């Protein structure tokens, strides 16, 4: 009892002491709406200038700033897509002040906040082009299932390279072209301040060219915004490895005021393979002998019948069934005084287009007893995704934000892409008759292919803790600290049962079990000091230190010739095991100084110093400098120029960044081996690599010039950028003389590459009426890539047989011997003597698009219906249709047998049969295309209807993806790539093209 009295006395004393102080504080509240529609605007950033205090508006557009010291302030409201608003307010002791805002829409807002390496800044201050994607407004209505689809067509200069239509596979991302011959050209990915794994790795077991991207683990439903930092001039302070650009992802943080806001969504989808696969052909005589078209032309035989058939197109025996997808998600966001939170959970279940119908099972399998689902539907994905973000004021001026995401799931894959154990090769390289072979299939029946079980199980935790310090006694200083961890554990497995996959040694049974762990650690500490030197001159100084570590460890086990009925490596007659580790550490520090004049002219300079564990022993720190200028000629608050131009900013920047060598490229190390001495096997070692003590990072320097402008009261916006990026000290693998008795080659810094181009981002409000709104977005970009210097005695290096690195040409350019023909006897049939193959290869074209265009449009009618669509263009690149060439090589393509085929089709097919003169050049095709990526129709359910089911707002969305492709490319799809793990290989070989999908989604808010 005594302790209780003292407790209450203590509480009363604290209350008595704090009440007078609280009485000296005031409160600022208000509401932010769209100036035209008067609709409330959520997630508007409301900042009390000069104090570091800020908050976000809730879904009703309301905000509240409590405990504001008495005095006069400028309060600013900013949101992407709107002109910023400011007000002067005076707060009295204990008073509540109301400051409402009505923001005008703006295609280009110079007051928008962007995230930089040194913290948040206004767009007007930054000298570089930074593309911003408001993911929160896209995912509820667009048919996107991963970040790659979210990025496609939405940012100029960003090329998303698709690879396959198999569920769970990844893409390659290129920002302003490729810079490295030997290292990854992927950008850095940062999530809530922490760097994360962005590898696009092949399945660790040979199942073809399919890749799995780490980026797909990040749930797009939890993303607030994505900012794309495009080149070295902008990415300088991100340091080594930032030469390929940086993608900064910010997840949802919840509101700073108001009660909990619940959102739920349910999505059901249908996926269908819509590809018409090329038929297999065979010409036969009356005596059932093979008769080629060229032989018909020369009179050597007479075709009695032309057979054609493709089992992949036959519904009775094809390996396709309609796929489906299910998505269920629930989130809650909210906050109170000094705290905000966001929690979400999602269940995703996707089944791809491979499958066996009951009819196909009866035909294509000898038995259907106890078939596992992974055999009937061998391509599927199941994921559970959880996120918890919490932010709190833990002391005066000290705020802690903790963000965490956990993803667990499994993905089943069919063998595919350049794989004899795949189902597509068995169809595409099969027979011209359903009665030949086994229902026209070549190597294996679909059931035999699907008997293989290929699965990846994965668990991933991404977390970061961000501490922000804005001391009230130092209103000029802001400090921040971030600790991050990305921990991925995956288990890759393969199993072929004994006797069920009758091809080679696989019929004896095979099992692989590989476990790979990847950890990425981040530590980032920095501070910024801001001063007003004179009424017109301001200063912003930043400094910081960063630490990144990536550690990969793998254990690999496999076995062949399994015991009957077993599924274990330990039961195999032949067993193999291996282990591998890799580690890379970067430590860097940076300084940045910015001066501003009259809030119009901003000059920024900075430098970063880095050391990396992959640098050679004789190479020390590397420095990356930068300088940028941004001048606001006219802003949204000024008078328009000739009543047309509302805002205008010109900018220029120069900066450097780099790319560290591979973790072991500079090291001398040995590999274990077995030696036989006097008939006895004994342990031994051999040279694994000679290493290079002088190895240093590749260095990229970029100059960027551009402008941003707003027209017609903010209804039209335009951003234009020109850039030139030069990368020197390119790592080139150089051969070593065998006489050295060491490794065959080692890396050296030798070459240089240039990328130059331009980017346009434009958007416009075409209609803005009470009942009708129409927005239009346009992006376009061009990139010219050139290998300036290879640094070797030779001027080229082959990549496979048809691509090469050659001075004066794009990286990975296609070369080939030109094939020409002439129908000399004018009989409509090409014969061998009418085909000529050039002796010397010549340049054909680049492997990657040089021009990209994206058209997006949204039409809103009566606040009830919203229509949106996305068209995408890629031009000026080539694709190797290796499927077509290979089919001709095994003598089942149309050009070899059909006398009515176009002459060029006959000629390119016939030359594959000419001994010693075969050329791939006719199969390297212009892959330029237009693609209808997305269409969606959103029904905005009236609030009174939604309230009948207890919801405050609701919408129903019907959408489709991959709805049409217009191209002259003769393969299955111009975006197909059967070797997506490589930097430059671009070829279509027996792979699954993208499927067409439709989804129906219900969004509910509570």
């Amino acid at each position: 009892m005594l302790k209780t009295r003292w407790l209450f006395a203590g509480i009363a004393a604290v209350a008595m002491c704090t009440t007078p102080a609280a009485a000296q504080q005031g409160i600022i509240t208000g509401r932010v709406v769209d100036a035209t529609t008067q609709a409330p605007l959520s997630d508007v950033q409301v900042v009390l200038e000069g104090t570091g205090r800020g908050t976000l508006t809730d879904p009703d557009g309301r905000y509240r700033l409590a405990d504001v010291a008495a005095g006069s302030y400028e309060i600013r409201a900013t949101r992407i897509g709107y002109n910023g608003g400011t007000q002067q307010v005076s707060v009295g002791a204990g008073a509540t002040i109301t400051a409402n805002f009505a923001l005008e829409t703006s295609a280009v807002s110079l007051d928008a906040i962007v995230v930089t390496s040194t913290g948040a800044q206004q767009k007007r201050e930054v000298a570089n082009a930074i593309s911003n994607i408001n993911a929160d407004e896209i995912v509820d209505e667009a048919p996107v299932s991963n970040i790659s689809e979210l990025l496609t067509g939405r940012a100029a200069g960003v090329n998303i390279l698709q690879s396959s239509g198999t569920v769970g596979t990844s893409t390659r991302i290129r920002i302003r072209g490729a810079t490295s011959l030997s290292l990854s050209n992927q950008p850095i990915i940062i999530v809530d301040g922490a760097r994360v794994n962005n590898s696009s790795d092949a399945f660790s077991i040979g199942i073809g060219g399919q890749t799995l991207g780490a980026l797909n683990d990040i749930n797009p439903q939890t993303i607030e915004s994505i900012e794309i930092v495009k080149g070295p001039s902008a990415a300088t302070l991100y340091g080594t490895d930032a030469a390929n650009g940086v993608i900064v992802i910010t997840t949802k943080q919840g509101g700073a005021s108001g009660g909990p806001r619940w959102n739920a969504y349910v999505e059901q989808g249908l996926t269908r393979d819509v590809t018409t696969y090329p038929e297999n052909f065979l010409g036969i005589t009356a005596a059932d002998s093979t008769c080629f078209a060229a032989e018909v032309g020369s009179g050597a035989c007479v075709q009695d019948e032309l057979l054609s058939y493709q089992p992949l197109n036959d519904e009775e025996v094809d390996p396709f069934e309609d796929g489906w997808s299910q998505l269920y998600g629930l989130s809650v966001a909210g906050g109170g005084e000094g705290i905000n939170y966001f929690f979400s959970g999602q269940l995703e279940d996707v089944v791809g287009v491979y499958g066996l119908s009951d009819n196909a099972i009866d035909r294509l399998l000898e038995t259907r007893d106890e078939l596992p689902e992974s055999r009937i539907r061998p391509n599927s994905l199941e994921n559970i995704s959880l996120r918890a973000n919490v932010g709190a004021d833990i002391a005066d001026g000290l705020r802690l934000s903790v963000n965490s995401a956990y993803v667990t799931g499994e993905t089943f894959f069919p063998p595919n892409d350049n794989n004899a154990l795949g189902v597509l090769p068995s169809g595409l390289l099969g027979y011209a008759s359903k009665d030949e072979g086994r229902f026209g299939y070549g190597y294996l029946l679909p059931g035999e292919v699907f008997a293989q079980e290929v699965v990846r199980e994965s668990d991933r935790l991404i977390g970061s803790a961000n501490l922000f310090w804005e001391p009230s006694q130092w209103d000029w200083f802001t400090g921040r600290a971030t600790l991050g961890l990305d921990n991925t554990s995956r288990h890759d497995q393969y199993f072929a049962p004994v006797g069920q996959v009758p091809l080679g040694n696989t019929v004896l049974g095979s099992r692989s079990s590989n476990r790979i762990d990847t950890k990425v650690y981040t530590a980032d500490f920095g501070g910024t000091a801001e001063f007003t030197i004179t009424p017109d001159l301001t200063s912003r100084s930043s400094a910081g230190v960063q630490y990144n570590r990536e550690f990969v460890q793998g254990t690999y086990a496999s076995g062949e010739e399994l015991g009957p009925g077993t599924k274990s490596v330990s039961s195999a007659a032949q067993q193999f095991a291996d282990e591998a580790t890799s580690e890379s550490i970067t430590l860097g520090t940076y300084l940045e100084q910015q001066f501003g004049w009259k809030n119009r002219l901003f000059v920024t300079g900075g430098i970063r110093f880095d050391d990396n564990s992959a640098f050679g022993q004789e190479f020390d720190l590397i420095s990356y400098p930068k300088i940028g200028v941004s001048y606001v000629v006219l802003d949204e608050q000024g008078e328009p120029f000739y009543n047309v131009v509302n805002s205008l900013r010109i900018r220029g920047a120069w900066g450097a960044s780099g790319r560290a060598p591979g973790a072991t490229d500079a090291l001398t190390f040995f590999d274990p081996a077995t030696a036989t001495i006097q008939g006895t096997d004994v342990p031994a070692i051999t040279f694994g690599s000679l290493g290079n003590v002088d190895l240093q990072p590749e260095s990229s320097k970029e100059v960027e010039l551009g402008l941003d402008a707003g027209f017609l009261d903010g209804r039209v916006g335009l951003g234009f950028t020109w850039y030139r990026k030069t990368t020197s000290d390119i790592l080139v693998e150089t051969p070593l003389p065998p006489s050295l008795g060491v490794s065959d080659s080692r890396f050296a810094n030798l070459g240089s590459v240039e990328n130059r181009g331009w980017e346009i981002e434009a958007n416009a409000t075409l209609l803005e009426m009470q009942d009708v709104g129409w927005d239009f977005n346009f992006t376009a970009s061009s990139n010219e890539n050139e290998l300036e210097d290879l640094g070797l005695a030779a001027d080229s290096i082959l990549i496979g047989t048809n691509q090469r690195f050659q001075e004066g040409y794009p990286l990975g350019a296609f070369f080939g011997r030109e094939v020409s023909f002439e129908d000399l006897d004018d009989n409509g049939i090409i014969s061998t003597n009418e085909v000529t193959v050039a002796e010397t290869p010549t340049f054909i074209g680049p492997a990657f698009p040089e021009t990209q265009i994206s058209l997006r449009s949204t039409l809103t009618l009566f606040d009830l219906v919203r229509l949106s669509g996305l068209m995408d263009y890629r031009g000026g690149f080539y694709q190797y249709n290796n499927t077509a060439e290979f089919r001709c090589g095994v003598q089942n393509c149309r050009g070899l047998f059909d006398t009515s085929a176009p002459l060029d089709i006959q000629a390119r097919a016939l030359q594959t049969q000419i001994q010693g003169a075969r050329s791939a050049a006719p199969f390297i095709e212009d892959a330029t295309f237009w693609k209808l990526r997305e269409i969606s129709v959103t029904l905005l359910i009236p609030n009174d209807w939604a309230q009948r089911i207890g919801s405050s707002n609701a919408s129903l969305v019907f959408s489709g993806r991959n709805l049409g492709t217009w191209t002259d490319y003769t393969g299955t799809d111009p975006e197909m790539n059967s070797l997506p793990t490589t930097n430059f290989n671009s070829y279509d070989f027996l792979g699954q093209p993208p499927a067409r999908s439709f989804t129906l989604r219900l969004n509910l808010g509570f």
Side-chain angles (χ1 to χ4, degrees):
M1 184 67 177
L2 183 61
K3 292 182 179 180
T4 304
R5 289 177 179 174
W6 279 110
L7 176 62
F8 278 105
I11 295 174
V14 171
M16 292 174 63
C17 293
T18 57
T19 299
Q24 303 304 313
Q25 309 295 315
I27 298 173
I28 303 176
T29 65
R31 192 165 186 255
V32 185
V33 300
D34 185 293
T36 302
T37 65
Q38 296 301 306
L41 295 177
S42 63
D43 298 319
V44 177
Q45 188 171 35
V46 182
V47 177
L48 209 58
E49 296 289 353
T51 68
R53 295 285 306 280
T55 186
L56 297 174
T57 58
D58 63 20
D60 195 39
R62 300 187 184 280
Y63 71 92
R64 186 173 188 267
L65 289 167
D67 301 327
V68 179
S72 298
Y73 300 93
E74 180 179 86
I75 186 168
R76 177 180 293 272
T78 57
R79 190 181 193 274
I80 294 174
Y82 288 83
N83 294 327
T86 59
Q87 289 190 38
Q88 297 292 329
V89 296
S90 295
V91 180
T96 298
I97 303 300
T98 300
N100 296 323
F101 293 89
L103 302 185
E104 299 278 356
T105 58
S106 172
V108 175
S109 178
L110 301 180
D111 290 331
I113 302 297
V114 296
V115 178
T116 69
S117 55
T118 59
Q121 295 186 54
Q122 286 186 325
K123 183 177 179 180
R124 64 170 60 218
E125 302 174 27
V126 181
N128 302 88
I130 297 179
S131 294
N132 188 289
I133 299 174
N134 194 345
D136 189 31
E137 295 183 354
I138 294 174
V139 294
D140 287 345
E141 298 183 3
V144 296
S145 59
N146 53 59
I147 294 182
S148 296
E149 293 178 351
L150 183 60
L151 294 174
T152 299
R154 290 185 168 88
V158 180
N159 191 1
I160 308 299
L161 302 169
Q162 307 290 332
S163 59
S164 171
T166 308
V167 169
T169 53
S170 68
T171 58
R172 292 180 292 181
I173 303 175
R174 298 290 181 267
I175 300 177
R176 292 184 177 175
T179 59
S180 180
L181 280 64
S182 309
L183 303 174
S184 170
N185 286 288
Q186 292 279 95
I188 289 176
I189 306 295
I190 295 176
V191 178
D192 294 327
R195 186 165 168 179
V196 301
N197 175 26
N198 184 33
S199 62
S200 183
D201 60 319
F203 202 76
S204 63
I205 300 160
I207 59 168
Q210 302 167 105
T211 61
L212 298 90
L215 192 60
N216 289 343
D217 289 336
I218 302 173
N219 182 2
Q221 308 289 335
T222 64
I223 297 175
E224 178 72 31
S225 64
I226 300 175
E227 291 184 358
I228 303 174
V229 181
K230 296 181 182 179
S233 62
T236 295
L237 298 191
Y238 288 98
T240 300
D241 290 346
N244 300 323
V246 183
I247 296 179
V248 181
I249 298 173
T250 302
T251 61
K252 299 177 182 178
Q253 300 298 309
S257 62
R261 305 184 302 277
W262 294 85
N263 285 281
Y265 52 90
V266 178
E267 186 175 290
Q268 301 291 312
L270 172 70
T271 307
R272 177 168 294 174
D273 180 80
V274 294
T275 305
T276 300
Y277 295 90
E279 294 191 337
N280 302 319
F281 281 82
L282 179 66
I284 58 175
T285 66
D288 288 339
S289 299
T290 300
C291 182
F292 293 94
E295 294 177 319
V296 174
S298 65
C301 66
V302 176
Q303 263 189 21
D304 181 67
E305 186 176 4
L306 179 66
L307 302 177
S308 64
Y309 177 68
Q310 178 51 258
L312 300 177
N313 297 331
D314 188 339
E315 292 184 359
E316 292 187 355
V317 295
D318 72 24
F320 302 110
E321 287 286 294
D322 286 346
W324 70 84
S325 63
Q326 303 179 77
L327 196 65
Y328 305 93
L330 180 67
S331 68
V332 59
E337 291 300 327
I339 189 170
N340 61 273
Y341 58 85
F342 174 82
F343 302 104
S344 74
Q346 178 180 281
L347 173 63
E348 182 182 20
D349 181 13
V350 183
V351 176
V353 296
Y354 287 106
L356 296 177
S357 64
D358 289 341
N359 183 49
I361 291 173
D362 292 335
R363 288 173 173 266
L364 303 179
L365 289 177
E366 295 180 0
T367 176
R368 58 180 295 160
D369 296 336
E370 299 180 359
L371 289 176
E373 184 68 20
S374 61
R375 185 172 179 184
I376 299 174
R377 302 306 297 255
N379 183 209
S380 63
L381 177 152
E382 291 185 2
N383 273 340
I384 295 175
S385 173
L386 305 174
R387 174 164 286 279
N389 293 347
V390 178
D393 295 332
I394 58 177
D396 182 26
L398 195 62
R399 183 169 184 80
L400 176 65
S401 173
V402 178
N403 311 283
S404 60
Y406 174 70
V407 182
T408 182
E410 62 179 13
T411 306
F412 287 87
F413 295 91
N416 220 338
D417 298 333
N418 190 18
N419 192 335
L421 295 173
V423 67
L424 294 185
S426 285
L428 292 168
L429 305 177
Y431 299 96
S433 171
K434 190 174 183 178
D435 299 327
E436 291 192 59
R438 294 178 294 173
F439 303 102
Y441 283 99
Y443 310 119
L444 299 170
L445 291 173
E448 294 166 340
V449 174
F450 297 167
Q452 303 166 90
E453 184 178 83
V454 183
V455 60
R456 166 171 289 184
E457 298 172 348
S458 64
D459 293 278
R460 187 175 187 183
L461 174 66
I462 300 175
S464 66
N466 299 276
L467 191 65
F468 301 94
W469 185 34
E470 299 175 327
S472 57
Q473 66 272 30
W474 299 344
D475 58 1
W476 48 268
F477 178 77
T478 302
R480 59 184 177 84
T482 297
L483 297 177
L485 171 66
D486 179 7
N487 185 15
T488 305
S489 297
R490 71 177 196 258
H491 186 194
D492 293 352
Q493 304 171 68
Y494 173 82
F495 173 57
V498 176
Q500 294 194 31
V501 188
L503 186 65
N505 291 333
T506 311
V507 71
L508 301 176
S510 180
R511 167 69 173 169
S512 297
S513 177
N514 302 337
R515 297 183 182 272
I516 301 99
D517 293 326
T518 303
K519 295 180 174 64
V520 181
Y521 302 90
T522 299
D524 185 355
F525 306 94
T528 299
E530 298 184 65
F531 298 98
T532 300
I533 300 174
T534 71
D536 292 333
L537 182 63
T538 60
S539 169
R540 187 178 192 270
S541 305
S542 300
V545 60
Q546 294 178 346
Y547 169 87
N548 292 105
R549 175 176 180 254
E550 182 171 347
F551 181 75
V552 182
Q553 182 177 34
T555 304
Y556 309 88
S558 62
E560 296 179 354
E561 300 181 28
L562 303 181
T566 64
K567 189 181 178 180
S568 171
V569 173
S570 61
S571 71
Q574 301 183 52
Q575 300 177 13
F576 310 91
D578 195 9
E579 187 176 14
T581 60
S582 174
E583 183 180 38
S584 177
I585 298 175
T586 301
L587 179 64
T589 183
Y590 65 83
L591 297 169
E592 183 184 69
Q593 176 62 49
Q594 180 187 98
F595 291 105
W597 180 72
K598 291 188 175 181
N599 201 31
R600 287 189 177 275
L601 176 64
F602 301 91
V603 179
T604 305
I607 191 167
R608 174 166 173 142
F609 298 93
D610 268 4
D611 196 6
N612 185 279
S613 59
F615 295 170
Q617 293 180 356
E618 299 299 320
F619 183 79
D620 204 358
L621 295 176
I622 189 168
S623 62
Y624 301 118
K626 75 164 196 172
I627 188 169
V629 178
S630 172
Y631 179 57
V632 179
V633 181
L634 184 68
D635 64 15
E636 296 96 331
Q637 311 303 321
E639 292 294 327
F641 184 70
Y642 284 106
N643 295 318
V644 175
V645 183
N646 301 96
S647 64
L648 176 63
R649 177 175 73 122
I650 55 177
R651 48 185 167 78
W654 175 89
S657 187
R659 184 75 177 88
T664 60
D665 290 347
L667 301 179
T668 298
F669 60 88
F670 301 92
D671 288 335
T674 301
T676 302
I677 300 178
Q678 296 181 350
T680 303
D681 291 341
V682 297
I685 59 172
T686 62
F687 264 102
S689 173
L690 183 61
N692 184 347
V693 296
D694 296 315
L695 205 64
Q696 64 186 63
E698 298 180 343
S699 178
S700 296
K701 297 179 176 63
E702 181 186 58
V703 60
E704 174 182 314
L705 302 173
L707 62 84
D708 302 298
F711 306 89
L712 303 177
D713 294 326
R715 295 170 64 89
V716 178
L718 172 68
F720 174 81
T721 301
W722 173 88
Y723 65 90
R724 181 176 180 178
K725 177 171 59 174
T726 302
T727 304
S728 57
D729 298 320
I730 293 293
L731 265 67
V732 179
E733 191 170 9
T734 58
L736 296 174
S739 58
L740 292 177
V742 292
S743 50
D744 296 333
S745 62
R746 71 172 184 177
F747 284 100
N749 298 99
L750 297 175
S752 63
V753 174
E754 182 182 84
N755 285 275
R756 56 188 179 275
W758 50 263
E759 299 162 356
I760 296 175
E761 293 189 352
N763 43 64
T765 301
L766 302 180
L767 286 176
E768 191 175 33
M769 303 169 62
Q770 182 175 358
D771 296 325
V772 180
W774 186 11
D775 295 328
F776 180 80
N777 298 272
F778 169 83
T779 64
S781 61
S782 172
N783 176 266
E784 295 182 32
N785 176 270
E786 181 183 341
L787 175 60
E788 293 185 317
D789 183 15
L790 191 55
L792 298 174
D795 65 353
S796 66
I797 298 177
L798 291 178
I799 312 173
T801 57
N802 305 305
Q803 291 178 263
R804 62 179 65 181
F805 301 131
Q806 181 157 327
E807 293 177 356
Y809 295 93
L811 295 179
F814 282 110
F815 283 76
R817 293 184 295 165
E818 182 182 353
V819 174
S820 58
F821 64 90
E822 184 178 1
D823 186 9
L824 298 174
D825 51 16
D826 200 27
N827 65 351
I829 301 175
I830 298 298
S831 301
T832 303
N833 65 319
E834 297 173 329
V835 177
T836 302
V837 180
E839 295 184 1
T840 305
T842 56
F843 173 65
I844 297 175
F848 300 121
E850 291 188 328
T851 304
Q852 296 185 80
I853 298 174
S854 174
L855 306 173
R856 290 173 288 136
S857 187
T858 300
L859 177 65
T860 303
L861 303 173
F862 305 102
D863 290 330
L864 295 176
V865 179
R866 185 175 296 126
L867 309 174
S868 62
L870 170 63
M871 285 283 292
D872 197 15
Y873 169 84
R874 310 281 177 87
F877 75 110
Y878 287 76
Q879 172 80 296
Y880 177 24
N881 189 353
N882 196 19
T883 299
E885 182 189 21
F886 200 83
R887 280 165 41 80
C888 292
V890 299
Q891 300 182 348
N892 73 346
C893 69
R894 179 191 178 193
L896 287 178
F897 296 102
D898 187 357
T899 58
S900 65
L903 298 184
D904 61 328
I905 297 299
Q906 292 185 47
R908 79 172 189 174
L910 187 58
Q911 60 89 28
T912 66
Q913 308 299 307
I914 301 175
Q915 188 69 27
R918 179 171 174 172
S919 172
F923 299 93
I924 300 173
E925 306 178 27
D926 185 346
T928 297
F929 68 85
W930 278 97
K931 183 164 286 193
L932 181 56
R933 296 278 184 192
E934 305 169 3
I935 283 185
S936 66
V937 180
T938 302
L939 302 178
L940 304 171
I941 300 174
N943 288 343
D944 55 343
W945 292 15
Q947 290 169 2
R948 295 178 184 178
I949 58 172
S951 173
S952 59
N953 58 80
S955 63
L956 188 65
V957 185
F958 177 73
S959 59
R961 188 168 190 86
N962 192 32
L963 300 177
T965 303
W966 294 265
T967 181
D968 291 332
Y969 178 68
T970 63
T972 55
D973 192 282
E975 291 187 287
M976 266 300 304
N977 188 4
S978 298
L979 275 180
T981 55
T982 61
N983 263 334
F984 299 100
N985 287 102
S986 181
Y987 83 132
D988 174 1
F989 189 46
L990 308 175
Q992 173 62 45
R996 182 170 298 166
S997 62
F998 298 94
T999 58
L1000 183 64
R1001 177 186 176 109
L1002 176 64
N1003 299 304
L1004 297 172
F1006 302 93

